[in-house]
Amino acid sequence: MSIEQEIPTQSDIERLPLDIERIHELSEVLLPVFEQIEQGQQIEDETLNAKLVELINILQELHPADVADVLESLPPKERALVWHLVSPEEDGEVLLEVSDAVRETLIESMNKDELLAAVDDLDADELVELAGDLPHQVVYEALQTRDPDERAKIQAAMSYEDDQVGAIMDFEFISIRADVACEVVLRYLRRFDNLPDHTDKIFVVDQYDVLQGVLPIRKLLVADPEELVADVMATDVVRFRPEENVEEAAQAFERYDLITAPVINADKKLIGRITIDEMVDVIREETEADMLNMAGLQEEEDLFAPVWDSVKNRWMWLAINLCTAFIASRVIGAFEGSIEKIVALAALMPIVAGIGGNSGNQTITMIVRAMAMGQLSGLQAGRLLKKEIGVALVNGLVWGTVMGVVSWMLYGNIGIGLVMVAAMTLNLLLAATVGVLIPVLMDKAGRDPALGSSVLITAVTDSGGFLIFLGLATLFLI
């Protein structure tokens, strides 16, 4: 970042929960005088004034990422108060750290001049990250303050989709030629006040900026000063194209323990780099998106979003769930006569449906995770299905037998026990089959494999479990 921040110490990290709790208390107390604070008026109440000073001091000591956590944990009115008190020099960095939903509300509360001041000190790649959420006029005016070369880089990065490497690449890097000595490189590095963040390697290019290799800093420090860069550099380099998917890049970072990696264009010219901090953000965001999608949430939601916004985000899968629950109720209704004759069926059927849903969720979670990590292909899906069916068969027979014995002891009817064994085994087999097929088919259809998967698997195992259990009971016990 262009504005250097102190790295939080261990004591700062341990104190953070207490600071957040105190900020909550102070913001709630100061809320009645927010209008005076916003207008810069003096607060006459000495107690409130002391609390205001305390709140400002706490915020000044926090890292921008911690300020972002505070803002996300506050209701809208208290959030507006705290945001007003955050140091203007940190506004841009805080906006980079907060969630997309909260960032939107903060930007809406700022005028054009405040937004321009917030992004003025941001690096080019950071401005690109915020550009999609900023008003077009603000982005236009912010670009006019940059030099032509930087402006061209920003506009090029903004042309890429959010899920492409080009959208998150960093333009700050150090490059050298292969035909210079290591001592020359060290003298060159000493000319910088600071090296770009996460500089673990120097990129080696030719006269046309075509990437030749990389010179790791650790090798440079121990190399013979007279040795040429060409003799020390590594030529086997993990590199990326700006059109590549960021999730695949993140997997490569995890697989090869990368800190930085070069980004090259079609002519193999070095145009930027991607860094580990961006990859950690990608992994976190993808994990959060999968969690939300599995629960049927369409997008990230502000914890304190207006009721109507939350309703719009959640209604679709709730409606689907309502439909599937109605189908399950109709399945039960079709066997009312059987339930009337053997009341024990009403007590036992939720067990069959419940264990099927749990097993299905285990399978589907594992499949979605494998897909996210690129471990599952179409050919492997068939083998995995056979394996999951085998697991379900063993679990069904083992736990079905356990519940069969329990049911026999409770109701004194060995037929009910045998039906429990068969129903639980069949429902677990159904859960395993559907748990593999749902994400695979979603992926083939071009949809997120995690989207609503938890809702769908529960719907299938509920209706299927009721149908299997009540159907077997009707067929063999009545």
Side-chain angles (χ1 to χ4, degrees):
M1 292 199 176
S2 51
I3 301 177
E4 288 192 26
Q5 293 292 331
E6 291 185 9
I7 298 175
T9 64
Q10 183 64 33
S11 60
D12 292 332
I13 296 171
E14 292 173 351
R15 198 182 68 241
L16 180 60
L18 296 177
D19 286 340
I20 292 178
E21 185 176 348
R22 185 58 179 160
I23 290 171
H24 283 214
E25 295 172 358
L26 293 171
S27 61
E28 192 171 354
V29 171
L30 291 168
L31 200 56
V33 293
F34 178 31
E35 188 173 338
Q36 292 176 251
I37 296 172
E38 198 172 22
Q39 295 174 358
Q41 299 176 4
Q42 182 67 34
I43 299 175
E44 297 179 1
D45 188 311
E46 292 184 5
T47 303
L48 289 179
N49 197 52
K51 292 184 182 299
L52 175 61
V53 172
E54 181 185 356
L55 178 55
I56 293 173
N57 289 336
I58 294 175
L59 291 173
Q60 288 178 341
E61 293 177 2
L62 291 178
H63 188 277
D66 297 330
V67 175
D69 284 342
V70 171
L71 292 170
E72 291 175 3
S73 67
L74 289 171
K77 292 182 179 179
E78 287 89 338
R79 180 186 296 162
L81 168 62
V82 171
W83 180 235
H84 179 75
L85 297 176
V86 171
S87 173
E89 290 80 11
E90 293 186 351
D91 282 357
E93 296 177 53
V94 174
L95 287 174
L96 286 168
E97 297 290 346
V98 294
S99 64
D100 292 343
V102 174
R103 181 189 299 164
E104 184 179 339
T105 65
L106 296 179
I107 289 176
E108 287 177 356
S109 69
M110 302 171 71
N111 59 41
K112 186 177 74 172
D113 292 337
E114 289 173 333
L115 289 171
L116 286 172
V119 303
D120 184 56
D121 291 319
L122 295 182
D123 294 335
D125 58 303
E126 295 168 344
L127 178 57
V128 171
E129 185 176 342
L130 282 182
D133 298 313
L134 296 172
H136 294 303
Q137 185 62 29
V138 171
V139 176
Y140 175 77
E141 293 189 26
L143 286 175
Q144 302 313 305
T145 64
R146 310 287 171 129
D147 62 68
D149 181 56
E150 187 177 25
R151 191 185 311 149
K153 290 178 179 177
I154 294 173
Q155 290 173 331
M158 289 172 57
S159 68
Y160 295 103
E161 300 293 333
D162 290 341
D163 61 350
Q164 292 182 318
V165 166
I168 63 168
M169 65 181 173
D170 183 1
F171 302 108
E172 286 194 357
F173 57 86
I174 298 174
S175 61
I176 56 172
R177 298 284 180 84
D179 57 355
V180 299
C182 290
E183 175 60 29
V184 174
V185 177
L186 288 170
R187 289 203 304 269
Y188 174 62
L189 294 180
R190 293 189 189 103
R191 295 169 53 190
F192 291 88
D193 293 330
N194 290 293
L195 296 180
D197 290 341
H198 309 292
T199 299
D200 68 319
K201 59 177 69 78
I202 302 169
F203 302 114
V204 183
V205 298
D206 64 10
Q207 59 182 328
Y208 303 108
D209 288 330
V210 174
L211 183 69
Q212 303 294 302
V214 297
L215 176 60
I217 294 292
R218 64 180 185 274
K219 281 191 176 182
L220 174 64
L221 294 176
V222 299
D224 185 331
E226 302 301 322
E227 198 165 10
L228 293 178
V229 168
D231 299 327
V232 182
M233 71 179 189
T235 55
D236 186 14
V237 182
V238 177
R239 62 196 76 189
F240 299 95
R241 296 282 296 277
E243 301 85 7
E244 291 185 42
N245 186 275
V246 293
E247 292 178 28
E248 295 176 0
Q251 291 168 14
F253 264 67
E254 187 274 332
R255 186 181 307 117
Y256 303 117
D257 296 325
L258 300 175
I259 296 176
T260 62
V263 180
I264 59 173
N265 63 16
D267 298 323
K268 298 184 179 179
K269 289 185 177 181
L270 180 66
I271 59 174
R273 64 171 185 157
I274 48 178
T275 57
I276 185 63
D277 58 329
E278 291 290 351
M279 293 297 98
V280 170
D281 289 341
V282 168
I283 294 170
R284 175 182 55 80
E285 290 169 4
E286 181 61 22
T287 301
E288 291 176 352
D290 284 345
M291 290 174 61
L292 293 171
N293 284 335
M294 289 186 75
L297 293 174
Q298 298 180 56
E299 59 186 22
E300 184 182 18
E301 184 181 303
D302 181 358
L303 189 62
F304 297 99
V307 172
W308 184 241
D309 289 348
S310 295
V311 170
K312 289 189 292 184
N313 189 34
R314 305 180 194 185
W315 75 269
M316 185 180 74
W317 285 99
L318 288 177
I320 293 173
N321 194 39
L322 180 63
C323 294
T324 58
F326 178 77
I327 293 172
S329 72
R330 290 300 82 213
V331 171
I332 296 172
F335 294 95
E336 285 180 355
S338 301
I339 296 173
E340 287 177 357
K341 293 177 181 178
I342 306 177
V343 179
L345 299 180
L348 295 174
M349 64 184 183
I351 299 174
V352 177
I355 196 170
N358 187 43
S359 177
N361 274 311
Q362 289 176 343
T363 299
I364 212 165
T365 300
M366 189 188 68
I367 300 300
V368 169
R369 176 183 176 277
M371 286 183 163
M373 297 181 68
Q375 297 174 342
L376 184 63
S377 65
L379 294 175
Q380 295 168 321
R383 295 179 182 176
L384 191 55
L385 178 59
K386 293 179 181 178
K387 178 249 184 179
E388 288 300 313
I389 287 177
V391 173
L393 182 61
V394 172
N395 278 329
L397 291 173
V398 171
W399 298 110
T401 301
V402 171
M403 279 309 304
V405 172
V406 172
S407 302
W408 177 27
M409 294 173 64
L410 283 175
Y411 301 104
N413 187 332
I414 193 172
I416 291 180
L418 293 173
V419 166
M420 280 296 290
V421 175
M424 287 182 66
T425 302
L426 290 173
N427 200 28
L428 286 178
L429 290 172
L430 174 64
T433 303
V434 177
V436 174
L437 292 180
I438 286 177
V440 169
L441 293 177
M442 292 280 279
D443 184 59
K444 287 185 178 296
R447 306 296 299 274
D448 188 333
L451 184 60
S453 56
S454 180
V455 177
L456 293 174
I457 194 69
T458 301
V460 171
T461 54
D462 280 358
S463 298
F466 294 147
L467 180 62
I468 292 169
F469 179 63
L470 296 175
L472 289 174
T474 302
L475 186 61
F476 294 107
L477 302 180
I478 300 174

